[in-house]
Amino acid sequence: MELSQKLKQARLEAGLSQKALCGTRIPRNMLSQIENGSARPSMDTLRYLAARLGKPMGYFLEEQ
């Protein structure tokens, strides 16, 4: 599963909208692009999203 798919799945499992996950730090359209695989998050952005989702960064980085 790709990072984009893992991120979207984790967000949906957490019951969060894109806007709720982004908070005030990330534009919603950027999250949409990341989830659709058309953009890659910076490590700082991924760290932020992982923390908001309660997942370790490694969950999103390791390939399955």
Side-chain angles (χ1 to χ4, degrees):
M1 188 181 302
E2 303 232 353
L3 182 144
S4 59
Q5 295 167 317
K6 287 182 182 182
L7 186 59
K8 185 173 184 175
Q9 181 179 344
R11 177 179 62 77
L12 294 174
E13 287 174 359
L16 296 172
S17 66
Q18 287 183 333
K19 185 176 181 178
L21 177 57
C22 291
T24 59
R25 187 164 171 187
I26 301 169
R28 193 212 52 82
N29 65 337
M30 175 54 77
L31 178 59
S32 179
Q33 290 175 2
I34 294 168
E35 286 187 351
N36 290 325
S38 60
R40 302 281 297 172
S42 68
M43 293 304 283
D44 188 47
T45 297
L46 184 57
R47 187 176 297 112
Y48 172 78
L49 294 172
R52 302 259 306 165
L53 291 166
K55 302 265 188 197
M57 277 185 55
Y59 171 81
F60 299 104
L61 296 175
E62 64 185 31
E63 294 186 25
Q64 295 181 351

Short mmCIF file of all heavy atoms in Angstrom, two decimals:
data_model
loop_
_atom_site.label_atom_id
_atom_site.label_comp_id
_atom_site.label_asym_id
_atom_site.label_seq_id
_atom_site.Cartn_x
_atom_site.Cartn_y
_atom_site.Cartn_z
N MET A 1 0.85 -1.18 0.00
CA MET A 1 0.00 0.00 0.00
C MET A 1 0.89 1.24 0.00
O MET A 1 1.86 1.31 0.73
CB MET A 1 -0.90 -0.03 1.24
CG MET A 1 -1.95 1.04 1.24
SD MET A 1 -3.04 1.06 2.71
CE MET A 1 -3.75 -0.56 2.69
N GLU A 2 0.54 2.18 -0.82
CA GLU A 2 1.32 3.42 -0.94
C GLU A 2 1.03 4.38 0.21
O GLU A 2 -0.01 4.29 0.87
CB GLU A 2 0.96 4.10 -2.26
CG GLU A 2 1.18 3.22 -3.46
CD GLU A 2 2.02 3.89 -4.51
OE1 GLU A 2 2.32 5.07 -4.37
OE2 GLU A 2 2.37 3.19 -5.46
N LEU A 3 1.94 5.32 0.42
CA LEU A 3 1.79 6.32 1.46
C LEU A 3 0.45 7.03 1.34
O LEU A 3 -0.25 7.23 2.33
CB LEU A 3 2.95 7.33 1.39
CG LEU A 3 2.95 8.40 2.46
CD1 LEU A 3 4.36 8.73 2.88
CD2 LEU A 3 2.23 9.65 2.02
N SER A 4 0.08 7.41 0.13
CA SER A 4 -1.17 8.14 -0.08
C SER A 4 -2.37 7.32 0.39
O SER A 4 -3.27 7.85 1.05
CB SER A 4 -1.33 8.53 -1.55
OG SER A 4 -1.32 7.37 -2.37
N GLN A 5 -2.37 6.04 0.09
CA GLN A 5 -3.47 5.16 0.49
C GLN A 5 -3.49 4.96 2.00
O GLN A 5 -4.56 4.97 2.62
CB GLN A 5 -3.35 3.81 -0.21
CG GLN A 5 -3.49 3.89 -1.72
CD GLN A 5 -3.06 2.60 -2.39
OE1 GLN A 5 -2.05 2.02 -2.04
NE2 GLN A 5 -3.85 2.17 -3.36
N LYS A 6 -2.32 4.79 2.59
CA LYS A 6 -2.23 4.61 4.04
C LYS A 6 -2.73 5.84 4.77
O LYS A 6 -3.43 5.74 5.78
CB LYS A 6 -0.79 4.32 4.46
CG LYS A 6 -0.30 2.96 4.10
CD LYS A 6 1.12 2.80 4.62
CE LYS A 6 1.70 1.46 4.25
NZ LYS A 6 3.06 1.31 4.79
N LEU A 7 -2.36 7.00 4.26
CA LEU A 7 -2.77 8.25 4.90
C LEU A 7 -4.28 8.42 4.85
O LEU A 7 -4.92 8.72 5.87
CB LEU A 7 -2.07 9.43 4.22
CG LEU A 7 -2.27 10.80 4.84
CD1 LEU A 7 -1.78 10.82 6.28
CD2 LEU A 7 -1.54 11.84 4.04
N LYS A 8 -4.87 8.18 3.70
CA LYS A 8 -6.32 8.32 3.57
C LYS A 8 -7.04 7.29 4.43
O LYS A 8 -8.01 7.62 5.12
CB LYS A 8 -6.74 8.16 2.11
CG LYS A 8 -8.22 8.41 1.90
CD LYS A 8 -8.59 8.42 0.44
CE LYS A 8 -10.05 8.76 0.25
NZ LYS A 8 -10.40 8.87 -1.17
N GLN A 9 -6.55 6.05 4.43
CA GLN A 9 -7.18 5.01 5.23
C GLN A 9 -7.12 5.35 6.71
O GLN A 9 -8.10 5.21 7.44
CB GLN A 9 -6.50 3.67 4.97
CG GLN A 9 -7.10 2.53 5.76
CD GLN A 9 -6.42 1.21 5.47
OE1 GLN A 9 -5.70 1.06 4.48
NE2 GLN A 9 -6.64 0.24 6.33
N ALA A 10 -5.96 5.83 7.18
CA ALA A 10 -5.81 6.19 8.59
C ALA A 10 -6.73 7.35 8.95
O ALA A 10 -7.33 7.37 10.03
CB ALA A 10 -4.35 6.56 8.89
N ARG A 11 -6.87 8.30 8.04
CA ARG A 11 -7.76 9.45 8.29
C ARG A 11 -9.21 9.00 8.41
O ARG A 11 -9.94 9.39 9.33
CB ARG A 11 -7.63 10.49 7.18
CG ARG A 11 -8.57 11.68 7.34
CD ARG A 11 -8.41 12.70 6.24
NE ARG A 11 -8.70 12.22 4.92
CZ ARG A 11 -9.96 12.05 4.45
NH1 ARG A 11 -11.01 12.32 5.19
NH2 ARG A 11 -10.14 11.63 3.20
N LEU A 12 -9.63 8.13 7.49
CA LEU A 12 -11.01 7.64 7.52
C LEU A 12 -11.26 6.78 8.76
O LEU A 12 -12.33 6.89 9.38
CB LEU A 12 -11.32 6.85 6.24
CG LEU A 12 -11.31 7.69 4.95
CD1 LEU A 12 -11.49 6.79 3.73
CD2 LEU A 12 -12.38 8.77 4.99
N GLU A 13 -10.30 5.95 9.13
CA GLU A 13 -10.45 5.13 10.34
C GLU A 13 -10.56 5.99 11.58
O GLU A 13 -11.23 5.63 12.54
CB GLU A 13 -9.28 4.16 10.46
CG GLU A 13 -9.33 3.02 9.48
CD GLU A 13 -8.09 2.13 9.51
OE1 GLU A 13 -7.15 2.41 10.30
OE2 GLU A 13 -8.07 1.15 8.74
N ALA A 14 -9.88 7.15 11.57
CA ALA A 14 -9.94 8.07 12.70
C ALA A 14 -11.22 8.90 12.69
O ALA A 14 -11.50 9.63 13.64
CB ALA A 14 -8.72 8.99 12.69
N GLY A 15 -11.98 8.80 11.60
CA GLY A 15 -13.23 9.55 11.50
C GLY A 15 -13.02 11.04 11.29
O GLY A 15 -13.86 11.85 11.71
N LEU A 16 -11.92 11.40 10.64
CA LEU A 16 -11.61 12.82 10.43
C LEU A 16 -11.86 13.24 9.00
O LEU A 16 -11.58 12.48 8.06
CB LEU A 16 -10.13 13.09 10.76
CG LEU A 16 -9.69 12.88 12.20
CD1 LEU A 16 -8.18 13.01 12.30
CD2 LEU A 16 -10.37 13.87 13.12
N SER A 17 -12.35 14.44 8.83
CA SER A 17 -12.43 15.03 7.50
C SER A 17 -11.03 15.52 7.13
O SER A 17 -10.15 15.63 7.99
CB SER A 17 -13.40 16.20 7.49
OG SER A 17 -12.89 17.27 8.29
N GLN A 18 -10.83 15.84 5.87
CA GLN A 18 -9.54 16.40 5.47
C GLN A 18 -9.28 17.70 6.21
O GLN A 18 -8.18 17.93 6.70
CB GLN A 18 -9.50 16.63 3.96
CG GLN A 18 -9.38 15.36 3.15
CD GLN A 18 -9.28 15.63 1.67
OE1 GLN A 18 -9.75 16.64 1.16
NE2 GLN A 18 -8.66 14.70 0.96
N LYS A 19 -10.30 18.52 6.33
CA LYS A 19 -10.14 19.81 7.00
C LYS A 19 -9.75 19.63 8.47
O LYS A 19 -8.88 20.33 8.98
CB LYS A 19 -11.44 20.61 6.89
CG LYS A 19 -11.35 22.01 7.46
CD LYS A 19 -12.62 22.78 7.23
CE LYS A 19 -12.50 24.18 7.79
NZ LYS A 19 -13.69 24.98 7.55
N ALA A 20 -10.38 18.66 9.12
CA ALA A 20 -10.08 18.41 10.54
C ALA A 20 -8.65 17.92 10.71
O ALA A 20 -7.96 18.32 11.66
CB ALA A 20 -11.06 17.41 11.12
N LEU A 21 -8.19 17.05 9.82
CA LEU A 21 -6.83 16.54 9.91
C LEU A 21 -5.81 17.64 9.67
O LEU A 21 -4.79 17.72 10.36
CB LEU A 21 -6.62 15.39 8.92
CG LEU A 21 -5.20 14.80 8.86
CD1 LEU A 21 -4.75 14.30 10.24
CD2 LEU A 21 -5.14 13.68 7.83
N CYS A 22 -6.06 18.50 8.72
CA CYS A 22 -5.12 19.57 8.38
C CYS A 22 -4.96 20.59 9.49
O CYS A 22 -3.88 21.15 9.65
CB CYS A 22 -5.59 20.30 7.13
SG CYS A 22 -5.49 19.29 5.65
N GLY A 23 -6.02 20.85 10.22
CA GLY A 23 -5.96 21.90 11.21
C GLY A 23 -5.68 23.23 10.52
O GLY A 23 -6.17 23.48 9.42
N THR A 24 -4.87 24.05 11.14
CA THR A 24 -4.54 25.36 10.56
C THR A 24 -3.15 25.34 9.91
O THR A 24 -2.71 26.36 9.39
CB THR A 24 -4.56 26.46 11.64
OG1 THR A 24 -3.62 26.11 12.67
CG2 THR A 24 -5.95 26.61 12.23
N ARG A 25 -2.51 24.19 9.93
CA ARG A 25 -1.11 24.13 9.47
C ARG A 25 -0.94 23.74 8.01
O ARG A 25 0.01 24.17 7.36
CB ARG A 25 -0.37 23.12 10.35
CG ARG A 25 1.08 23.09 10.09
CD ARG A 25 1.81 22.40 11.20
NE ARG A 25 3.19 22.18 10.83
CZ ARG A 25 4.02 21.49 11.54
NH1 ARG A 25 3.62 20.95 12.67
NH2 ARG A 25 5.26 21.33 11.15
N ILE A 26 -1.85 22.93 7.47
CA ILE A 26 -1.71 22.43 6.10
C ILE A 26 -2.97 22.80 5.32
O ILE A 26 -4.08 22.55 5.79
CB ILE A 26 -1.54 20.90 6.10
CG1 ILE A 26 -0.31 20.50 6.90
CG2 ILE A 26 -1.45 20.35 4.68
CD1 ILE A 26 -0.22 19.02 7.16
N PRO A 27 -2.82 23.33 4.11
CA PRO A 27 -4.01 23.61 3.30
C PRO A 27 -4.72 22.30 2.92
O PRO A 27 -4.07 21.30 2.62
CB PRO A 27 -3.45 24.29 2.04
CG PRO A 27 -2.06 24.73 2.41
CD PRO A 27 -1.58 23.79 3.46
N ARG A 28 -6.03 22.30 2.95
CA ARG A 28 -6.80 21.11 2.65
C ARG A 28 -6.51 20.59 1.25
O ARG A 28 -6.42 19.39 1.02
CB ARG A 28 -8.30 21.36 2.82
CG ARG A 28 -9.09 20.04 2.83
CD ARG A 28 -10.48 20.16 2.25
NE ARG A 28 -10.54 20.76 0.95
CZ ARG A 28 -10.32 20.11 -0.21
NH1 ARG A 28 -9.99 18.84 -0.22
NH2 ARG A 28 -10.40 20.74 -1.35
N ASN A 29 -6.32 21.49 0.29
CA ASN A 29 -6.05 21.03 -1.07
C ASN A 29 -4.70 20.32 -1.16
O ASN A 29 -4.53 19.42 -1.99
CB ASN A 29 -6.16 22.16 -2.09
CG ASN A 29 -5.12 23.24 -1.93
OD1 ASN A 29 -4.56 23.43 -0.84
ND2 ASN A 29 -4.85 23.96 -2.99
N MET A 30 -3.74 20.67 -0.31
CA MET A 30 -2.46 19.95 -0.28
C MET A 30 -2.67 18.53 0.23
O MET A 30 -2.15 17.57 -0.34
CB MET A 30 -1.44 20.69 0.59
CG MET A 30 -0.13 19.94 0.75
SD MET A 30 0.69 19.43 -0.78
CE MET A 30 1.39 20.98 -1.30
N LEU A 31 -3.47 18.37 1.27
CA LEU A 31 -3.76 17.03 1.78
C LEU A 31 -4.46 16.21 0.71
O LEU A 31 -4.16 15.03 0.52
CB LEU A 31 -4.60 17.09 3.05
CG LEU A 31 -4.99 15.72 3.63
CD1 LEU A 31 -3.75 14.89 3.97
CD2 LEU A 31 -5.89 15.89 4.83
N SER A 32 -5.38 16.82 -0.01
CA SER A 32 -6.08 16.13 -1.08
C SER A 32 -5.09 15.63 -2.14
O SER A 32 -5.18 14.49 -2.59
CB SER A 32 -7.12 17.06 -1.72
OG SER A 32 -7.78 16.40 -2.78
N GLN A 33 -4.14 16.47 -2.51
CA GLN A 33 -3.13 16.07 -3.49
C GLN A 33 -2.26 14.94 -2.96
O GLN A 33 -1.91 14.02 -3.70
CB GLN A 33 -2.26 17.27 -3.87
CG GLN A 33 -2.99 18.30 -4.68
CD GLN A 33 -2.14 19.55 -4.94
OE1 GLN A 33 -0.98 19.62 -4.54
NE2 GLN A 33 -2.73 20.52 -5.61
N ILE A 34 -1.92 14.98 -1.68
CA ILE A 34 -1.12 13.91 -1.08
C ILE A 34 -1.92 12.60 -1.09
O ILE A 34 -1.39 11.55 -1.47
CB ILE A 34 -0.69 14.29 0.36
CG1 ILE A 34 0.26 15.48 0.33
CG2 ILE A 34 -0.05 13.09 1.06
CD1 ILE A 34 0.52 16.10 1.70
N GLU A 35 -3.17 12.66 -0.69
CA GLU A 35 -4.00 11.46 -0.66
C GLU A 35 -4.27 10.89 -2.05
O GLU A 35 -4.46 9.69 -2.19
CB GLU A 35 -5.34 11.75 0.04
CG GLU A 35 -5.23 11.90 1.53
CD GLU A 35 -6.56 12.01 2.23
OE1 GLU A 35 -7.61 12.14 1.56
OE2 GLU A 35 -6.55 11.97 3.47
N ASN A 36 -4.27 11.74 -3.05
CA ASN A 36 -4.48 11.27 -4.42
C ASN A 36 -3.19 10.83 -5.10
O ASN A 36 -3.22 10.37 -6.24
CB ASN A 36 -5.16 12.36 -5.26
CG ASN A 36 -6.59 12.57 -4.84
OD1 ASN A 36 -7.28 11.63 -4.47
ND2 ASN A 36 -7.05 13.81 -4.89
N GLY A 37 -2.07 10.99 -4.42
CA GLY A 37 -0.79 10.56 -4.96
C GLY A 37 -0.16 11.53 -5.94
O GLY A 37 0.84 11.20 -6.57
N SER A 38 -0.71 12.73 -6.06
CA SER A 38 -0.14 13.70 -7.00
C SER A 38 0.87 14.62 -6.33
O SER A 38 1.50 15.43 -7.00
CB SER A 38 -1.24 14.52 -7.67
OG SER A 38 -1.99 15.23 -6.72
N ALA A 39 1.04 14.50 -5.01
CA ALA A 39 2.05 15.27 -4.28
C ALA A 39 2.61 14.40 -3.17
O ALA A 39 1.94 13.48 -2.69
CB ALA A 39 1.44 16.55 -3.70
N ARG A 40 3.84 14.66 -2.79
CA ARG A 40 4.49 13.95 -1.69
C ARG A 40 4.67 14.92 -0.53
O ARG A 40 5.12 16.05 -0.74
CB ARG A 40 5.86 13.42 -2.11
CG ARG A 40 5.88 12.50 -3.30
CD ARG A 40 5.48 11.10 -3.04
NE ARG A 40 6.38 10.43 -2.11
CZ ARG A 40 6.13 9.23 -1.62
NH1 ARG A 40 5.05 8.60 -1.98
NH2 ARG A 40 6.95 8.67 -0.79
N PRO A 41 4.36 14.50 0.69
CA PRO A 41 4.53 15.41 1.82
C PRO A 41 6.00 15.54 2.20
O PRO A 41 6.79 14.61 2.02
CB PRO A 41 3.75 14.72 2.94
CG PRO A 41 3.84 13.26 2.61
CD PRO A 41 3.81 13.20 1.11
N SER A 42 6.35 16.70 2.73
CA SER A 42 7.68 16.85 3.31
C SER A 42 7.73 16.01 4.58
O SER A 42 6.69 15.60 5.11
CB SER A 42 7.95 18.33 3.64
OG SER A 42 7.10 18.74 4.70
N MET A 43 8.91 15.76 5.09
CA MET A 43 9.03 14.99 6.33
C MET A 43 8.34 15.72 7.48
O MET A 43 7.72 15.10 8.33
CB MET A 43 10.50 14.71 6.65
CG MET A 43 11.17 13.77 5.66
SD MET A 43 10.31 12.19 5.48
CE MET A 43 10.83 11.38 6.97
N ASP A 44 8.43 17.03 7.50
CA ASP A 44 7.79 17.82 8.55
C ASP A 44 6.27 17.67 8.46
O ASP A 44 5.59 17.50 9.48
CB ASP A 44 8.21 19.28 8.43
CG ASP A 44 7.73 20.13 9.60
OD1 ASP A 44 7.91 19.68 10.75
OD2 ASP A 44 7.18 21.21 9.36
N THR A 45 5.73 17.74 7.25
CA THR A 45 4.28 17.58 7.06
C THR A 45 3.85 16.17 7.45
O THR A 45 2.83 15.99 8.13
CB THR A 45 3.89 17.88 5.60
OG1 THR A 45 4.19 19.24 5.32
CG2 THR A 45 2.42 17.62 5.35
N LEU A 46 4.62 15.18 7.05
CA LEU A 46 4.27 13.80 7.39
C LEU A 46 4.32 13.58 8.90
O LEU A 46 3.46 12.93 9.47
CB LEU A 46 5.20 12.83 6.67
CG LEU A 46 4.88 11.36 6.87
CD1 LEU A 46 3.45 11.04 6.43
CD2 LEU A 46 5.87 10.49 6.12
N ARG A 47 5.32 14.17 9.55
CA ARG A 47 5.42 14.06 11.01
C ARG A 47 4.19 14.67 11.67
O ARG A 47 3.61 14.09 12.60
CB ARG A 47 6.69 14.78 11.48
CG ARG A 47 7.01 14.62 12.93
CD ARG A 47 8.35 15.28 13.31
NE ARG A 47 9.47 14.64 12.60
CZ ARG A 47 10.20 15.24 11.65
NH1 ARG A 47 9.96 16.48 11.28
NH2 ARG A 47 11.19 14.61 11.07
N TYR A 48 3.76 15.81 11.19
CA TYR A 48 2.57 16.49 11.72
C TYR A 48 1.32 15.63 11.53
O TYR A 48 0.54 15.42 12.46
CB TYR A 48 2.41 17.84 11.02
CG TYR A 48 1.13 18.55 11.34
CD1 TYR A 48 0.96 19.23 12.54
CD2 TYR A 48 0.07 18.57 10.44
CE1 TYR A 48 -0.23 19.90 12.84
CE2 TYR A 48 -1.11 19.22 10.72
CZ TYR A 48 -1.26 19.88 11.92
OH TYR A 48 -2.43 20.53 12.21
N LEU A 49 1.14 15.11 10.30
CA LEU A 49 -0.05 14.30 10.02
C LEU A 49 -0.05 13.01 10.83
O LEU A 49 -1.09 12.60 11.36
CB LEU A 49 -0.14 13.99 8.52
CG LEU A 49 -0.39 15.20 7.62
CD1 LEU A 49 -0.25 14.80 6.15
CD2 LEU A 49 -1.75 15.82 7.89
N ALA A 50 1.10 12.37 10.93
CA ALA A 50 1.21 11.13 11.71
C ALA A 50 0.84 11.39 13.17
O ALA A 50 0.10 10.61 13.78
CB ALA A 50 2.61 10.55 11.60
N ALA A 51 1.33 12.48 13.73
CA ALA A 51 1.01 12.82 15.12
C ALA A 51 -0.48 13.08 15.29
O ALA A 51 -1.09 12.62 16.25
CB ALA A 51 1.81 14.05 15.56
N ARG A 52 -1.09 13.77 14.33
CA ARG A 52 -2.53 14.05 14.41
C ARG A 52 -3.35 12.77 14.32
O ARG A 52 -4.44 12.68 14.87
CB ARG A 52 -2.96 15.01 13.30
CG ARG A 52 -2.25 16.32 13.28
CD ARG A 52 -2.95 17.47 13.85
NE ARG A 52 -4.27 17.72 13.29
CZ ARG A 52 -5.14 18.53 13.88
NH1 ARG A 52 -4.82 19.13 14.99
NH2 ARG A 52 -6.31 18.74 13.34
N LEU A 53 -2.80 11.78 13.60
CA LEU A 53 -3.50 10.50 13.43
C LEU A 53 -3.12 9.47 14.51
O LEU A 53 -3.68 8.37 14.54
CB LEU A 53 -3.20 9.92 12.04
CG LEU A 53 -3.82 10.71 10.89
CD1 LEU A 53 -3.20 10.29 9.57
CD2 LEU A 53 -5.34 10.51 10.86
N GLY A 54 -2.16 9.81 15.35
CA GLY A 54 -1.74 8.89 16.41
C GLY A 54 -0.97 7.69 15.88
O GLY A 54 -1.03 6.61 16.47
N LYS A 55 -0.27 7.88 14.78
CA LYS A 55 0.51 6.79 14.16
C LYS A 55 1.98 7.18 14.13
O LYS A 55 2.31 8.36 13.98
CB LYS A 55 0.05 6.55 12.72
CG LYS A 55 -1.41 6.20 12.56
CD LYS A 55 -1.58 4.73 12.52
CE LYS A 55 -3.03 4.38 12.16
NZ LYS A 55 -3.33 3.03 12.48
N PRO A 56 2.88 6.20 14.21
CA PRO A 56 4.30 6.53 14.03
C PRO A 56 4.59 6.83 12.56
O PRO A 56 3.91 6.31 11.67
CB PRO A 56 5.02 5.25 14.48
CG PRO A 56 4.02 4.17 14.28
CD PRO A 56 2.66 4.80 14.49
N MET A 57 5.57 7.67 12.31
CA MET A 57 5.91 8.01 10.92
C MET A 57 6.25 6.76 10.12
O MET A 57 5.95 6.66 8.94
CB MET A 57 7.09 8.98 10.87
CG MET A 57 6.65 10.40 11.05
SD MET A 57 7.99 11.58 10.85
CE MET A 57 8.66 11.20 9.27
N GLY A 58 6.89 5.79 10.77
CA GLY A 58 7.29 4.56 10.10
C GLY A 58 6.12 3.82 9.48
O GLY A 58 6.27 3.14 8.47
N TYR A 59 4.94 3.96 10.07
CA TYR A 59 3.74 3.31 9.51
C TYR A 59 3.50 3.77 8.08
O TYR A 59 3.12 2.97 7.23
CB TYR A 59 2.53 3.64 10.39
CG TYR A 59 1.21 3.20 9.79
CD1 TYR A 59 0.80 1.89 9.91
CD2 TYR A 59 0.40 4.10 9.11
CE1 TYR A 59 -0.41 1.47 9.35
CE2 TYR A 59 -0.80 3.70 8.54
CZ TYR A 59 -1.20 2.38 8.67
OH TYR A 59 -2.39 1.98 8.11
N PHE A 60 3.74 5.03 7.81
CA PHE A 60 3.48 5.57 6.48
C PHE A 60 4.66 5.37 5.52
O PHE A 60 4.48 5.37 4.31
CB PHE A 60 3.15 7.06 6.56
CG PHE A 60 1.91 7.34 7.36
CD1 PHE A 60 2.00 7.83 8.65
CD2 PHE A 60 0.67 7.06 6.86
CE1 PHE A 60 0.85 8.06 9.41
CE2 PHE A 60 -0.49 7.28 7.59
CZ PHE A 60 -0.39 7.78 8.87
N LEU A 61 5.86 5.17 6.08
CA LEU A 61 7.05 5.07 5.24
C LEU A 61 7.39 3.65 4.81
O LEU A 61 7.98 3.45 3.77
CB LEU A 61 8.25 5.69 5.97
CG LEU A 61 8.12 7.17 6.24
CD1 LEU A 61 9.30 7.65 7.09
CD2 LEU A 61 8.01 7.97 4.96
N GLU A 62 7.03 2.66 5.63
CA GLU A 62 7.41 1.29 5.27
C GLU A 62 6.48 0.73 4.20
O GLU A 62 5.29 1.02 4.18
CB GLU A 62 7.41 0.37 6.50
CG GLU A 62 6.06 0.19 7.15
CD GLU A 62 6.13 -0.62 8.43
OE1 GLU A 62 7.16 -0.56 9.13
OE2 GLU A 62 5.14 -1.28 8.74
N GLU A 63 7.07 0.00 3.29
CA GLU A 63 6.30 -0.60 2.20
C GLU A 63 5.80 -1.96 2.64
O GLU A 63 6.47 -2.67 3.37
CB GLU A 63 7.16 -0.72 0.94
CG GLU A 63 7.52 0.64 0.39
CD GLU A 63 8.24 0.53 -0.95
OE1 GLU A 63 8.03 -0.48 -1.65
OE2 GLU A 63 9.00 1.44 -1.27
N GLN A 64 4.63 -2.32 2.15
CA GLN A 64 4.06 -3.62 2.50
C GLN A 64 3.88 -4.44 1.27
O GLN A 64 3.62 -3.99 0.22
CB GLN A 64 2.73 -3.45 3.20
CG GLN A 64 2.85 -2.76 4.54
CD GLN A 64 1.52 -2.61 5.24
OE1 GLN A 64 0.47 -2.86 4.69
NE2 GLN A 64 1.57 -2.19 6.47
#
